Amino acid sequence: MKAYWYDNLPGDQREPHDSGRAASAEQLSKLGILHYHLPSRADVDALARERGYKNRDEITISPATMGAAAYEAKVRAFFDEHLHEDEEIRYILDGAGFFDVRSRGDDWLRIRLERFDVMVMPAGIYHRFTTDDKNYTKAMRLFKDDPKWTPLVRGAETEENEYRKEYVKMRDGAAVEAH
């Protein structure tokens, strides 16, 4: 994993957009982001048990598996800023991708995840996702209960969302243990 401040320069979203300013594990922790590097499925299973994840699936995001038009549409949709009402956990099985998350000051932090990286994002955090310029990410998605895929696109309504309000309260008042 590599985390840094997004450069906000024009260009393809799949490019690194690395500002040269690193983001620390402590900064991510203050946003509620957890990161692990787990090369063993047994370690992933242990983390799933520890965090109460009962369900999982795998997704491969690439033009070869989805078709070029469907892939481009999906990557554009993933890149719309949104939140979920569930904690989001992703385990990268192959390839790589970027998760962008909003800082307390509403700037983007970019997190590059590669094979065997696990990231946990809290419910209510604004974020977006894209593959890198190799256009290939295979990931395991883990869920506490049945998966809820509803992305809530950022707007006035999401600011009043109970999960968003809980997240902001957590972010502004506490940190989680950094890994």
Side-chain angles (χ1 to χ4, degrees), residues 85-100:
E85 293 182 339
D86 294 313
E87 184 174 89
E88 189 168 337
I89 183 169
R90 297 294 181 264
Y91 176 51
I92 305 301
L93 298 164
D94 200 13
F98 298 108
F99 277 93
D100 298 337

Side-chain angles (χ1 to χ4, degrees), residues 23-131:
S24 69
E26 181 182 356
Q27 287 170 312
L28 295 177
S29 173
K30 287 179 179 178
L31 298 176
I33 303 291
L34 300 175
H35 170 263
Y36 309 86
H37 186 78
L38 302 176
S40 157
R41 288 276 180 127
D43 291 336
V44 174
D45 292 343
L47 178 64
R49 279 190 305 278
E50 174 187 317
R51 297 192 69 80
Y53 290 98
K54 300 174 192 145
N55 297 305
R56 62 182 71 183
D57 71 0
E58 293 182 10
I59 184 171
T60 303
I61 307 163
S62 77
T65 59
M66 305 174 86
Y71 167 78
E72 289 296 332
K74 184 61 76 177
V75 168
R76 276 194 303 279
F78 285 156
F79 204 65
D80 285 338
E81 182 176 4
H82 62 280
L83 63 79
H84 296 286
E85 293 182 339
D86 294 313
E87 184 174 89
E88 189 168 337
I89 183 169
R90 297 294 181 264
Y91 176 51
I92 305 301
L93 298 164
D94 200 13
F98 298 108
F99 277 93
D100 298 337
V101 297
R102 286 289 187 182
S103 71
R104 186 173 182 190
D106 213 30
D107 295 312
W108 286 115
L109 288 173
R110 176 155 273 199
I111 304 163
R112 178 177 172 79
L113 298 178
E114 297 177 333
R115 189 171 186 213
F116 303 137
D117 283 334
V118 178
M119 186 174 73
V120 180
M121 287 191 298
I125 189 172
Y126 287 126
H127 66 281
R128 59 190 185 188
F129 172 80
T130 188
T131 58

